[in-house]
Amino acid sequence: MASKEVDMVCRMENFTKSFSLKIINYSLMQLLRVDEHPPLVATFDLAGCNWAVNFSTFSSECNITPRRNCVYSHIALQVSLLTEIKTLMYLEVEFRLLDPSGRYSVGDHTVSKSEGYLLKLKDAVGVTLCMRGSEITNYLKEDSFMLECALRLVKPVCVDARSKIVLVPPSNFSESALCRQFIQLWITGEGADVAFKVSGEKITAHKKVLAMRSPVFRAQLFGPMIDSKSDCIKIEDMNPDVFRRMLQFVYTDSLPLQEEFSVEMAQHLLAAADRYGLERLKLICEEKLSANIDVETAATTMVLAEQHNCEQLKEICLHFVASREKLQAVMESDGFSHLMESCPSVMKELLGKLDSERRS
């Protein structure tokens, strides 16, 4: 007996984000009433939702002895949801103070972590640091200080399996401080030791990071064919924005959410991922393309899938084109003639698919 096809797929997804925040004119913040309405200092996007960051400081007293009071300074940060949702989500928030030079501070009292559940608009998770006396002044520079925030969001992602899209497994990138430091390394570029000239634009990176993540970069940067005299590797057949996005994935194992990069970018990134052996990035691009197949893109996407060995994506394209109501429109598209000329083997598969569809 043939196994039943799955109609719906639901998987738990891990989303992470890390960013630094600078508070300027800290003394003026003391004039705001922060007990009930902490001021909004930042907004950002994560997992298809909008979020707000509210920040405040306040003081409290503690009676250590009948004759002595101790003043404590509190720094509070709150991450709240600005989007209506229909499912329960779990959020971890961690923030730490940075020293005046922007480096990580040392000590448990400069790090705070909290977690909570979100179900509706304006639900929030807050964290608070508590410091004794005027210790907070150690982190001020010109009436400003810096902090870093790291987030981890867990939510279910449900899709209609019958819509035929490629599913990407969740990232296995660690949620540790090491992961956040790799992200910071990508953002700052500090200590970069290799340069690429991509269609005339210079882009720097770190050899060992590239070699660790890509077998092609490893062979290029540390293999027997390396040119030790060359201080800049030329890449003429790739757009700088595509190369930069690919490097972002190398460092962070993620890209901006799918709605934030176009189908055209996904096509170019897929080719780049195949070129440098980045299999998870290929799947991310396949998912984007499979979710956006229409009569105008089906043929060109099928060519791309054939050229870069994307069997799932090719099968989804064949399934789309072979449907009776789509075939004629696809044949009239600009990409169909290119499909016939460049991929005759795919045309044979398409004819076989059409025959199978007709018989069923």
Side-chain angles (χ1 to χ4, degrees), residues 162-263:
R162 294 167 298 184
S163 64
K164 303 294 183 183
I165 64 171
V166 176
L167 298 179
V168 182
S171 170
N172 60 2
F173 222 49
S174 169
E175 305 296 335
S176 66
L178 179 63
C179 171
R180 297 196 300 274
Q181 288 166 357
F182 267 103
I183 295 172
Q184 194 68 16
L185 193 65
W186 162 245
I187 293 172
T188 64
E190 183 178 356
D193 56 359
V194 64
F196 298 89
K197 198 164 187 179
V198 187
S199 298
E201 183 175 329
K202 186 176 180 180
I203 299 174
T204 59
H206 303 80
K207 288 183 179 180
K208 290 185 178 179
V209 175
L210 302 187
M212 178 177 61
R213 299 277 284 153
S214 162
V216 178
F217 275 129
R218 182 164 60 248
Q220 186 177 29
L221 297 172
F222 295 100
M225 301 301 291
I226 184 173
D227 183 359
S228 59
K229 297 180 180 179
S230 175
D231 58 354
C232 191
I233 300 173
K234 290 185 178 181
I235 300 176
E236 299 292 348
D237 52 350
M238 190 178 298
N239 183 284
D241 287 339
V242 174
F243 190 79
R244 195 177 291 107
R245 288 285 182 95
M246 184 184 70
L247 289 190
Q248 177 185 346
F249 175 84
V250 167
Y251 281 80
T252 67
D253 205 49
S254 65
L255 287 172
L257 296 176
Q258 288 191 354
E259 59 267 30
E260 296 181 16
F261 72 103
S262 66
V263 169

Side-chain angles (χ1 to χ4, degrees), residues 8 41 49 52 172 351:
M8 301 294 294
V41 294
C49 298
N172 60 2
L351 291 173

Side-chain angles (χ1 to χ4, degrees), residues 29-79:
M29 184 171 283
Q30 311 311 302
L31 302 177
L32 300 175
R33 291 185 58 185
V34 299
D35 49 349
E36 298 179 359
H37 305 287
L40 174 70
V41 294
T43 59
F44 62 92
D45 296 327
L46 176 64
C49 298
N50 296 320
W51 304 80
V53 179
N54 297 81
F55 179 87
S56 61
T57 63
F58 58 94
S59 300
S60 65
E61 291 187 358
C62 179
N63 295 323
I64 298 178
T65 67
R67 296 184 179 180
R68 183 184 174 193
N69 291 341
C70 183
V71 177
Y72 285 89
S73 296
H74 303 267
I75 300 175
L77 183 143
Q78 185 182 74
V79 177

